[in-house]
Amino acid sequence: ANTTEPLRFAAKPNFVILIMDDMGWGDLGIFGEPNKETPNLDKMAAEGILFPDFYSANPLCSPSRAALMTGRLPIRNGFYTTNQPGRNAYTPQEIVGGIPDSEILLPQLLQANGYRNKIIGKWHLGHQPHYHPLRHGFDEWFGSPNCHFGPYDNKLTPNIPVYKDADMAGRFFEDYIITPSGESNLTQLYIEEATSFIEQQAQKGQPFFLYWAVDATHEPLYASRSFLGTSRRGLYGDAVRELDHGVGRILQSLQKTGLANNTLVFFTSDNGAATYAKTSGGSNGPFLCGKETTYEGGSREPTIAWWPGTITEGQVSRQIGSLMDFFTTFLDFADIEPPSDRILDGISLREALLNNSLTDRPVFYYRGDLLMAIRVGQYKAHLWTWSNSWSEFQNGSGVNFCPGQEIVGVTTHDQVNHTSSPLLFDLGADPGEKYVIRPQSAVYKQQMPLILATLQNHLDHLKPGDPQLNMCDSAVMNWAPQGCEKLGRCLPVPPSSPYKCDWPH
Amino acid sequence: ANTTEPLRFAAKPNFVILIMDDMGWGDLGIFGEPNKETPNLDKMAAEGILFPDFYSANPLCSPSRAALMTGRLPIRNGFYTTNQPGRNAYTPQEIVGGIPDSEILLPQLLQANGYRNKIIGKWHLGHQPHYHPLRHGFDEWFGSPNCHFGPYDNKLTPNIPVYKDADMAGRFFEDYIITPSGESNLTQLYIEEATSFIEQQAQKGQPFFLYWAVDATHEPLYASRSFLGTSRRGLYGDAVRELDHGVGRILQSLQKTGLANNTLVFFTSDNGAATYAKTSGGSNGPFLCGKETTYEGGSREPTIAWWPGTITEGQVSRQIGSLMDFFTTFLDFADIEPPSDRILDGISLREALLNNSLTDRPVFYYRGDLLMAIRVGQYKAHLWTWSNSWSEFQNGSGVNFCPGQEIVGVTTHDQVNHTSSPLLFDLGADPGEKYVIRPQSAVYKQQMPLILATLQNHLDHLKPGDPQLNMCDSAVMNWAPQGCEKLGRCLPVPPSSPYKCDWPH
Ligand SMILES: [Ca+2]
Ligand SMILES: [Ca+2]
């Protein structure tokens, strides 16, 4: 190593992503949640910069997180399905696919440049060993490869493992308990893991990337005993309150260790609130529908950036942002060249963060393999509309992605093709996508050509990645995760029998 | 006057009410408006105390303002109709009634105790001379007795007068222009009137009550040239931005004159946003429906209190508040005995403001003569539901008080009687009133008796006032307001021909 190396290291900022699971834009006090139960996040916003126009790259966990890690749309990095058109797909236990080795992940690039990276919580980019975070740039892991669905009986379906680095440390509902009433100390464990890692890195003086991917607001909801019953919003609110507390603890830890001035922290969420879960789901504020959909409620995320001394406090940025921008922004601040052999969808938010300046950029709203909508400026055009299917909507379970909301011709229960005359909305005057702008109007004639040109440019350069979410097989489930032998927790693996996954919506 | 009088005067705080017209809970950045265009109000909240649970006493202008002025529900002070059950009524030009002399208004009591009171903007408590603000406790007036509807032709219907104190100073659309594109300097005039009054009172050293009842967010919307086209939200947003600017100017004026530390300022609105006006109306955030209705969107108001040095900055109050509380709160701070010969519905917010403590109090949601719903704690029970009528909803004009929202059995188009089994909602977990709590549930069995006891207590003590909004007569219109002679602007008064007003919803 030459003599300038240590200086370069010291100059490299730390990065923290606090990413929530299924938390909605409207779940924070600062974003208008009427119970105002997020004092730490509201304070973080007052000390940092608020991004009301920030988006996930997809309305569902896995593709959203794959996009974050790669800086690329799921249609490029393979996190989608072609089994049926326009279907949301993710990485349940039976999924065969995961993040391809050909993709370059943010932690890989940071690791190669001297960063130590830790993921705490949910990975969701594939659970077979070659997809694990430690194979893709992370140095440490405490958390699970899949959603903490359950409880299962560990027979037909194994309980989800919790990993400590490369080895399983136990399983959900066995070692990591969530009681039927929603009591669990998991968020506390995740907070401790985060603050310990920060203290460890502070002592080492080594730059780090902490990815805090907690999941208490994803069903099954949970909170610690001391938070249970404390929210006016029920268990969902208890979970939010504990996560808000956790954010406070983590920022405090950065301040106590003296790292705050050299650490860029983003708070955000992976997709819109699960409105179909009714009062067990969060709030998307004034936006339409939620998770699984390409209306604003599906992917508008409550986002705050914080970097004391570098970001001027109490700002609001009108920058249209994306989870994919973390990739490009962090590389920019760390002075690392982004890959030049592939299209990146993220942009650098450096100027937005430092000077509150604005960069034009479109938003592409995909659902599976189908480009459903585009936003350019404050206008959004729907090429396709679909909430969920009639059969799902009308059957006994009554799944509804837009409960209490119905916009005729917009929240459709068929996949409706509007490509010949896209449905245009003004997200400034009409953030709830209620009032279609008529094709005869001047504004339509002015805006639509810009949007269609953006669409054409996008399609001209699009080479869809190999779809990773087509095939399922019960043999790939978490029967015998590495480390199970030491714990005596290996389960017999059934014979392989691959089949096309069925994605209902 | 004895020698202690000047000291008592000096100790009396000033009061300012900044009341908006048809602005919704969701129209402020701090309450989650996604375009975040209200920096002055957001700053006011950061320096003061936010009330997310604050209500008007009625979902329509006139009854709401009558309740504010009297500290009493419209059913008591007479601001309702019995022409048809459950109909909203107000004070258009043809109304015969107004605020009865038997009612005691807040400015009367303040005036009798040495305050100088000014109303700027819309009165709406009756436009015949004996109803005017200068007959009911105000010393100064610049504004109009009715809504600034128009433009009219001054023939079948006279243009609304603008008063300077007791005399007409001109008329809307003649002297006080609002162009078809919405350009008007009225808000600027209202700002100047306010800051001049504050400066004048600062020089006099006399306590004051300033009631700033601006109306740029009520249709027809308007803004000054320098604000037109500046909002991402269209003309409605331009109006909001100018009012936000005005609030900043007024607070600044209080600070420059040294009065801020002795002045309690409330910002609020008179009823929910006019959702039926689509993109020409405001936003009620996550709440259901809007103006004219007894869902939360009809009467939840964006409320902030500000009193530097007395109110600790940056607080949120969970106190359930009401516009009727200004009456009782101001009397409390001014050390004036409230009337003891009548029921007051307002409570004093002194402890909420000074110590952030909470007082139990119910909310009664009336529509005309009909008690539609009650809130106790965080639970709300609908005794009746009605959005608007089928005929209104389905005819060509498509009036819809809940556009894009439909909750089956809740946003009904008939007046539905639920008194035998009220519809219960948990406003904590379900602020949007989407998920009815089943009568079989434990929470229903626990909460409903409390609510029904509150209802019974209310009804036991209720003596409805003489309804003021039953009779109309074109002879009472603003044909020849006092002062019209000097201006040569008197119009011939048609013969009197009283009739029962028709209130469609
Ligand atoms: Ca998620
Ligand atoms: Ca009004």
Side-chain angles (χ1 to χ4, degrees):
Chain A
N2 64 46
T3 52
T4 64
E5 199 68 352
L7 266 179
R8 268 179 59 88
F9 266 28
K12 282 190 190 295
N14 309 303
F15 303 114
V16 178
I17 297 176
L18 309 169
I19 188 163
M20 305 298 111
D21 202 346
D22 292 7
M23 195 181 279
W25 192 94
D27 275 327
L28 276 56
I30 189 64
F31 281 107
E33 201 290 313
N35 297 286
K36 296 267 175 198
E37 295 184 330
T38 56
N40 291 289
L41 286 162
D42 297 356
K43 182 164 177 281
M44 181 183 179
E47 295 170 357
I49 184 166
L50 200 69
F51 285 91
D53 285 84
F54 212 93
Y55 290 88
S56 72
N58 194 273
L60 205 64
C61 308
S62 292
S64 169
R65 288 155 194 253
L68 183 157
M69 284 294 160
T70 60
R72 286 151 55 80
L73 285 166
I75 194 72
R76 299 194 213 277
N77 66 34
F79 261 65
Y80 69 101
T81 183
T82 53
N83 288 358
Q84 285 152 300
R87 297 293 172 102
N88 290 312
Y90 69 108
T91 53
Q93 284 212 67
E94 56 269 40
I95 199 79
V96 172
I99 191 72
D101 283 338
S102 56
E103 288 297 317
I104 300 171
L105 273 63
L106 173 59
Q108 287 175 254
L109 294 169
L110 293 172
Q111 194 178 50
N113 283 268
Y115 279 75
R116 187 167 179 87
N117 308 319
K118 176 158 192 163
I119 166 174
I120 297 168
K122 187 166 96 174
W123 175 234
H124 231 210
L125 267 63
H127 58 273
Q128 296 197 69
H130 49 293
Y131 297 131
H132 276 194
L134 268 58
R135 303 284 186 94
H136 292 268
F138 281 101
D139 300 288
E140 300 182 27
W141 183 19
F142 180 74
S144 58
N146 308 89
C147 281
H148 59 289
F149 290 143
Y152 300 119
D153 58 7
N154 240 348
K155 288 169 190 161
L156 284 179
T157 314
N159 281 333
I160 301 292
V162 173
Y163 280 82
K164 180 80 182 171
D165 301 328
D167 286 353
M168 179 170 94
R171 289 186 190 268
F172 271 97
F173 305 103
E174 295 174 63
D175 311 282
Y176 299 94
I177 306 293
I178 301 171
T179 72
S181 70
E183 184 180 338
S184 171
N185 68 343
L186 269 160
T187 297
Q188 291 301 317
L189 295 181
Y190 292 152
I191 295 170
E192 290 310 317
E193 287 281 331
T195 55
S196 300
F197 178 69
I198 290 167
E199 283 158 24
Q200 161 204 308
Q201 291 307 111
Q203 286 184 355
K204 283 193 197 164
Q206 180 190 16
F208 66 84
F209 167 39
L210 170 60
Y211 179 66
W212 198 61
V214 290
D215 54 7
T217 47
H218 186 294
E219 286 189 290
L221 308 171
Y222 62 81
S224 303
R225 186 172 303 174
S226 61
F227 285 90
L228 280 181
T230 63
S231 165
R232 293 170 26 132
R233 305 180 67 193
L235 181 54
Y236 183 88
D238 296 340
V240 172
R241 288 197 68 242
E242 187 166 14
L243 294 169
D244 174 75
H245 165 79
V247 170
R249 287 278 308 281
I250 290 170
L251 299 187
Q252 208 170 39
S253 162
L254 289 169
Q255 275 163 328
K256 272 197 284 191
T257 52
L259 295 179
N261 285 344
N262 198 36
T263 305
L264 170 57
V265 183
F266 270 101
F267 175 91
T268 192
S269 180
D270 69 338
N271 49 249
T275 41
Y276 57 78
K278 303 178 180 172
T279 53
S280 296
S283 165
N284 296 314
F287 297 116
L288 188 61
C289 306
K291 180 176 173 178
E292 308 268 6
T293 77
T294 48
Y295 310 104
E296 288 300 287
S299 58
R300 190 84 78 113
E301 305 305 335
T303 304
I304 305 168
W306 185 89
W307 189 351
T310 296
I311 294 176
T312 307
E313 65 179 24
Q315 293 182 88
V316 174
S317 171
R318 300 269 26 131
Q319 177 65 49
I320 296 175
S322 163
L323 296 188
M324 298 183 292
D325 299 343
F326 298 153
F327 185 98
T328 22
T329 304
F330 292 0
L331 295 186
D332 191 356
F333 278 116
D335 204 14
I336 300 171
E337 276 299 308
S340 57
D341 64 341
R342 61 196 66 203
I343 291 179
L344 296 174
D345 295 287
I347 62 169
S348 175
L349 299 174
R350 175 193 277 267
E351 291 306 309
L353 293 168
L354 302 187
N355 305 318
N356 210 341
S357 65
L358 298 178
T359 306
D360 276 344
R361 72 96 60 82
V363 179
F364 299 103
Y365 304 73
Y366 273 89
R367 185 159 169 169
D369 59 348
L370 199 56
L371 179 55
M372 305 279 291
I374 309 176
R375 175 178 176 176
V376 173
Q378 71 183 67
Y379 293 91
K380 177 176 176 181
H382 290 267
L383 305 169
W384 288 81
T385 54
W386 195 33
S387 56
N388 62 335
S389 67
W390 280 114
S391 61
E392 245 193 346
F393 181 65
Q394 290 175 327
N395 76 8
S397 67
V399 176
N400 185 354
F401 291 161
C402 314
Q405 298 178 315
E406 192 192 343
I407 318 289
V408 176
V410 180
T411 55
T412 58
H413 291 284
D414 294 308
Q415 289 186 343
V416 180
N417 184 346
H418 303 281
T419 49
S420 65
S421 180
L423 300 181
L424 188 67
F425 291 94
D426 175 351
L427 295 179
D430 178 23
E433 294 165 283
K434 288 180 177 170
Y435 308 108
V436 175
I437 296 172
R438 282 173 310 156
Q440 299 77 16
S441 66
V443 70
Y444 192 99
K445 288 173 184 162
Q446 186 182 44
Q447 296 299 328
M448 196 52 76
L450 304 174
I451 292 176
L452 293 180
T454 304
L455 167 65
Q456 196 54 55
N457 183 56
H458 175 70
L459 296 178
D460 285 349
H461 296 88
L462 181 64
K463 288 181 197 127
D466 209 18
Q468 298 296 314
L469 308 179
N470 282 353
M471 296 308 296
C472 287
D473 185 347
S474 70
V476 305
M477 290 191 185
N478 298 291
W479 303 106
Q482 184 176 319
C484 67
E485 311 83 355
K486 280 183 286 185
L487 300 170
R489 285 286 177 73
C490 303
L491 297 168
V493 182
S496 174
S497 169
Y499 62 96
K500 272 194 171 184
C501 316
D502 178 44
W503 303 111
H505 37 247
Chain B
N2 64 46
T3 52
T4 63
E5 199 69 350
L7 266 179
R8 269 181 56 90
F9 266 28
K12 283 191 190 295
N14 309 303
F15 303 114
V16 177
I17 297 175
L18 310 169
I19 188 163
M20 304 299 109
D21 202 347
D22 292 8
M23 195 181 280
W25 191 94
D27 275 328
L28 276 56
I30 188 64
F31 282 107
E33 202 291 312
N35 298 287
K36 297 267 175 197
E37 295 184 331
T38 56
N40 292 288
L41 287 161
D42 298 355
K43 181 163 178 281
M44 182 184 178
E47 295 170 357
I49 183 166
L50 200 67
F51 285 91
D53 285 82
F54 213 92
Y55 290 89
S56 72
N58 195 273
L60 205 64
C61 309
S62 291
S64 170
R65 288 153 193 256
L68 183 158
M69 284 292 160
T70 60
R72 286 150 56 79
L73 285 166
I75 193 73
R76 299 194 213 277
N77 66 33
F79 261 65
Y80 69 101
T81 182
T82 53
N83 288 0
Q84 285 153 298
R87 297 292 172 104
N88 289 313
Y90 69 109
T91 53
Q93 284 212 68
E94 55 270 40
I95 200 76
V96 173
I99 191 70
D101 283 338
S102 57
E103 288 297 317
I104 300 171
L105 273 63
L106 172 59
Q108 287 176 254
L109 293 169
L110 293 172
Q111 193 178 51
N113 284 268
Y115 279 75
R116 187 166 179 88
N117 308 319
K118 176 156 192 164
I119 166 174
I120 297 168
K122 186 165 95 174
W123 173 234
H124 233 211
L125 268 63
H127 58 273
Q128 295 198 71
H130 48 293
Y131 297 132
H132 276 193
L134 269 56
R135 304 282 186 96
H136 292 268
F138 282 100
D139 300 287
E140 301 182 26
W141 183 18
F142 179 75
S144 59
N146 308 89
C147 281
H148 59 288
F149 290 142
Y152 299 119
D153 61 5
N154 240 348
K155 289 169 190 161
L156 285 178
T157 314
N159 282 333
I160 301 292
V162 173
Y163 281 82
K164 180 80 183 173
D165 301 330
D167 286 353
M168 179 170 94
R171 290 186 190 269
F172 271 97
F173 306 103
E174 295 174 64
D175 312 282
Y176 298 94
I177 307 293
I178 301 171
T179 71
S181 70
E183 184 180 339
S184 171
N185 68 342
L186 269 160
T187 297
Q188 291 301 318
L189 294 181
Y190 292 152
I191 294 170
E192 290 309 317
E193 287 282 330
T195 54
S196 300
F197 178 69
I198 289 166
E199 284 158 23
Q200 159 203 311
Q201 291 306 111
Q203 286 183 355
K204 283 192 196 166
Q206 182 191 14
F208 65 85
F209 168 39
L210 170 61
Y211 179 66
W212 198 59
V214 289
D215 55 8
T217 47
H218 187 294
E219 287 189 288
L221 308 171
Y222 61 82
S224 303
R225 187 173 303 176
S226 61
F227 285 90
L228 279 181
T230 63
S231 166
R232 293 171 25 132
R233 304 179 68 193
L235 181 54
Y236 183 88
D238 297 340
V240 171
R241 288 197 67 241
E242 187 166 14
L243 294 169
D244 174 75
H245 165 81
V247 169
R249 287 278 309 280
I250 290 170
L251 299 187
Q252 207 171 39
S253 162
L254 288 169
Q255 274 162 328
K256 271 196 281 189
T257 53
L259 295 179
N261 286 343
N262 198 35
T263 304
L264 169 57
V265 183
F266 270 100
F267 175 91
T268 191
S269 180
D270 69 338
N271 49 249
T275 41
Y276 58 79
K278 303 178 181 172
T279 52
S280 296
S283 165
N284 296 312
F287 297 116
L288 187 60
C289 305
K291 181 176 173 179
E292 307 269 6
T293 77
T294 48
Y295 310 105
E296 289 299 289
S299 60
R300 190 85 77 114
E301 306 304 335
T303 304
I304 304 167
W306 185 89
W307 190 350
T310 296
I311 294 176
T312 307
E313 65 178 24
Q315 292 183 88
V316 175
S317 171
R318 301 267 27 130
Q319 177 65 49
I320 297 175
S322 163
L323 296 188
M324 299 184 293
D325 299 343
F326 298 153
F327 185 98
T328 22
T329 303
F330 293 0
L331 294 186
D332 190 355
F333 278 116
D335 204 13
I336 300 169
E337 276 299 306
S340 57
D341 64 341
R342 61 197 66 203
I343 290 179
L344 295 175
D345 296 288
I347 63 170
S348 174
L349 299 175
R350 174 194 279 266
E351 291 306 309
L353 294 168
L354 302 187
N355 304 318
N356 210 341
S357 64
L358 299 177
T359 306
D360 277 343
R361 73 96 60 83
V363 178
F364 299 102
Y365 304 73
Y366 273 89
R367 185 157 168 172
D369 59 348
L370 199 57
L371 179 55
M372 306 279 290
I374 309 175
R375 173 177 177 176
V376 172
Q378 71 183 68
Y379 293 92
K380 177 176 176 181
H382 290 267
L383 305 168
W384 289 81
T385 54
W386 194 34
S387 55
N388 62 335
S389 66
W390 280 114
S391 61
E392 245 194 344
F393 180 65
Q394 291 174 327
N395 78 9
S397 68
V399 176
N400 186 356
F401 291 163
C402 314
Q405 299 178 314
E406 192 192 345
I407 318 289
V408 176
V410 180
T411 54
T412 58
H413 291 284
D414 295 307
Q415 288 185 343
V416 180
N417 184 347
H418 303 281
T419 49
S420 65
S421 179
L423 300 182
L424 188 68
F425 291 93
D426 175 352
L427 294 180
D430 178 24
E433 294 166 284
K434 287 182 177 170
Y435 308 108
V436 176
I437 296 173
R438 281 173 308 155
Q440 298 78 16
S441 66
V443 69
Y444 193 98
K445 288 173 183 161
Q446 185 181 46
Q447 297 298 327
M448 196 51 77
L450 304 172
I451 292 176
L452 293 179
T454 304
L455 167 65
Q456 195 54 55
N457 183 55
H458 175 70
L459 296 177
D460 285 349
H461 297 87
L462 181 65
K463 290 183 196 127
D466 209 19
Q468 297 296 313
L469 307 179
N470 282 353
M471 296 307 297
C472 287
D473 184 348
S474 70
V476 305
M477 290 190 184
N478 298 292
W479 303 106
Q482 185 177 316
C484 67
E485 312 83 357
K486 280 184 286 186
L487 300 171
R489 286 286 176 74
C490 304
L491 298 169
V493 182
S496 174
S497 170
Y499 60 96
K500 273 192 169 183
C501 317
D502 177 44
W503 304 111
H505 37 247

